[in-house]
Structures are given as C-alpha cells and as structure tokens.
Amino acid sequence: MAVYVDDAIWKWANKRWCHMLADDEAELHRFASRIGIHRSAYQGPPKTSAPHYDLTGFERDRAVRMGALAVDRAGILAVFRKVKVTGAKGTRRAVTAAAE
C-alpha cells in the first residue's frame, strides 16, 4: 500500500495546497497521524467522493520525506478513481483486482 501526494499548486489562504490520498483509508489516516496532520483535517464521504487530506506545501514536503510518493496530476487522478466511493450508501469500490 502507498500514500500519494500531488503537486502543491492551488492557492488558498496565502498558501499552496495539494492532495494526499492512499490505496487504503486506514493507511491514509495512519500516515496523516505520522506526519502530524490531525484527523479533523480529513475530507471524505459523504462530503467528498474520495477520502483525502489537503496539505500545505510544507506538509507535502514532510510527507514526501517520510515516504509518500510524489505523483503528477494524472497519477493523483488515477488514485482518486481507485478510491472513489460509489453509490448512495458509500460503498467503496475494491482498490485492487484481487479484491474485486
């Protein structure tokens, strides 16, 4: 399992931000905790369609130093598609072919 961050390119509140996603939601939360991101920063269903955290550029750098994989826009979109929650009840699609 892996954790992924895209480029910190969008601006908000005088900072640059990026997304952090993971192959598994539990891994996403563990990694966020390891890099000092509080669980209250989590964004996921039902408010958003994919479990993720928004990170500042500084937090992104720390995530990469601690093992997150830096991916481009196409890479983060591929992960987003894998972990996207489908259906009204939030049924998660399988993230690996073996699990399907």
Side-chain angles (χ1 to χ4, degrees):
M1 284 185 264
V3 176
Y4 309 87
V5 293
D6 60 357
D7 295 324
I9 59 171
W10 47 281
K11 288 184 180 180
W12 184 74
N14 295 321
K15 296 179 182 175
R16 293 195 180 272
W17 296 80
C18 73
H19 302 98
M20 181 172 75
L21 290 91
D23 292 324
D24 175 78
E25 190 173 335
E27 176 63 19
L28 177 66
H29 294 306
R30 279 191 299 272
F31 195 87
S33 179
R34 281 184 48 219
I35 65 171
I37 305 298
H38 194 273
R39 180 73 175 256
S40 65
Y42 170 71
Q43 297 182 42
K47 291 184 178 184
T48 64
S49 56
H52 72 282
Y53 286 84
D54 291 337
L55 304 181
T56 65
F58 175 78
E59 293 163 336
R60 179 195 183 276
D61 291 344
R62 183 172 46 219
V64 170
R65 283 194 313 272
M66 294 185 73
L69 301 173
V71 296
D72 61 11
R73 181 172 170 77
I76 207 74
L77 287 173
V79 176
F80 177 88
R81 284 191 217 55
K82 286 193 315 185
V83 300
K84 181 179 177 181
V85 172
T86 59
K89 297 287 184 181
T91 304
R92 179 181 297 281
R93 287 185 2 191
V95 294
T96 64
E100 294 177 337

